[in-house]
Amino acid sequence: MLEHELSFDVPSEKPAAPLRVRPRRLRRSANLRDLVRETELATRDFVYPLFVVHGQDVREEISSMPDVFHLSLDQLKKEIAEISALHLRGVLLFGLPAAKDEWGSEDFADDGIVQEAVRVCKAVNPELIVMTDVCMCQYTSHGHCGIIRDGVIDNDLTLEYLARVAVSHATAGADVVAPSAMMDGQVGAIRAALDTNNFSDVAILAYAAKFASAFYGPFREAADSPPKFGDRRQYQMDPANAREALREVELDLEQGADMIMIKPALAYLDIIRQTRDAFNAPLAAYNVSGEYAMVKAAARNGWLDEKKVTLELLTSIKRAGANFILTYHAKQVARWLAEMS
Ligand code: PBG
């Protein structure tokens, strides 16, 4: 007889089929859980985005992105040494130009901030994979990702500019160029320009499906790149569309993309999974600024455990099918993984 009488009748007969399968058996200990884990994060999975600026001794924290900084080239040197010591394999460079104009001239200048930054990265660590974002928005006075003619973004004219930007990044030593302007034909135009300029070894990471997302908010503050009029919905994708994302991926692969990217990551895990299932090219996901800022803000309020939540989110992106992840958490995660191993 139980000490506490149950308040309902327990059937005296045994259940018809005894439980043969008990998934909990493999959750009993840490070693068993380790044995059957399907997805595991590694430091090599992460690429760290960096914001480089003109000037000397600049290391300014971006207010909406705690622990992420605007760095001048001298500070970048130290940062690259630190990143390399953490065994991170790659960085993605964004630049803030000294001046903006209608054509984004500094974007393709030999001594532009990104071109100089590429050289600094390679001087400190020639093995580091240096990727560059290829877009116009940080460099144009109107803040759009393309060149404006007669009041509209001229897709095909923009292609010539993007190609020029990519070639100038390759000339500086970039290993990978990452076109993010969402202009039709940008991958093909860049591939052709790289090839005719003897950069057939420079790879293209195509922001293939880049959605018109409110999660880019903190980045636009960091990169000083919000459009001065209108928004980006005429070129970035409608968040409602998955089939269209697959078409974008297909087009970029046809044009010669070596790797494809889905962006943002967390609200688009289904797109990552569908892309992984439908295509065999290496797949990246961009865990964007707003996704980072949400975690940071909640953690700073003591509402979430930053380490646990971040590792869970990044695991979900990898589980969805991403081969590598661009994330502002990269350095922190590399440290956590080193502590845990
Ligand atoms: C440039 C670009 C953007 C991001 C990466 N490249 C901003 C935008 O399209 O407005 C966003 C990155 C982030 O939010 O972390 N076009």
Side-chain angles (χ1 to χ4, degrees), residues 56-82:
Q56 268 278 240
D57 240 5
V58 183
R59 186 179 167 82
E60 252 170 50
E61 192 172 40
I62 296 158
S63 62
S64 54
M65 301 172 73
D67 300 326
V68 178
F69 297 84
H70 281 138
L71 300 172
S72 53
L73 295 172
D74 51 303
Q75 293 291 318
L76 176 69
K77 229 184 237 178
K78 295 183 198 164
E79 187 77 15
I80 296 299
E82 192 185 330

Side-chain angles (χ1 to χ4, degrees), residues 205-211 216 237 241-242 244-246 248-250 252 259-276 279 282-288 291 317 320-322 324-326:
L205 166 61
Y207 285 73
K210 178 173 177 184
F211 291 88
Y216 307 149
M237 278 190 54
N241 294 357
E244 187 188 351
L246 296 179
E248 283 281 6
V249 170
E250 191 176 6
D252 281 359
M259 304 180 278
I260 46 197
M261 188 203 295
I262 306 297
K263 174 184 177 189
L266 293 174
Y268 300 88
L269 293 177
D270 58 325
I271 313 283
I272 296 172
R273 168 48 57 196
Q274 289 184 56
T275 304
R276 173 74 296 152
F279 301 95
L283 177 60
Y286 200 140
N287 178 218
V288 301
E291 300 173 332
I317 298 170
F324 65 95
I325 302 169
L326 301 110

Side-chain angles (χ1 to χ4, degrees), residues 17-18 27 47 71-72 86 96 112 120 156 162 166 174 178 189 204-205 215 220 234 253 266 279 291 293 299 306 322:
R27 297 177 200 147
V47 172
L71 300 172
S72 53
L86 287 167
L96 281 85
V120 168
D156 296 10
L162 293 172
I204 298 178
L205 166 61
F215 286 101
R220 290 183 191 168
Q234 287 188 20
L253 288 172
L266 293 174
F279 301 95
E291 300 173 332
E306 182 177 1

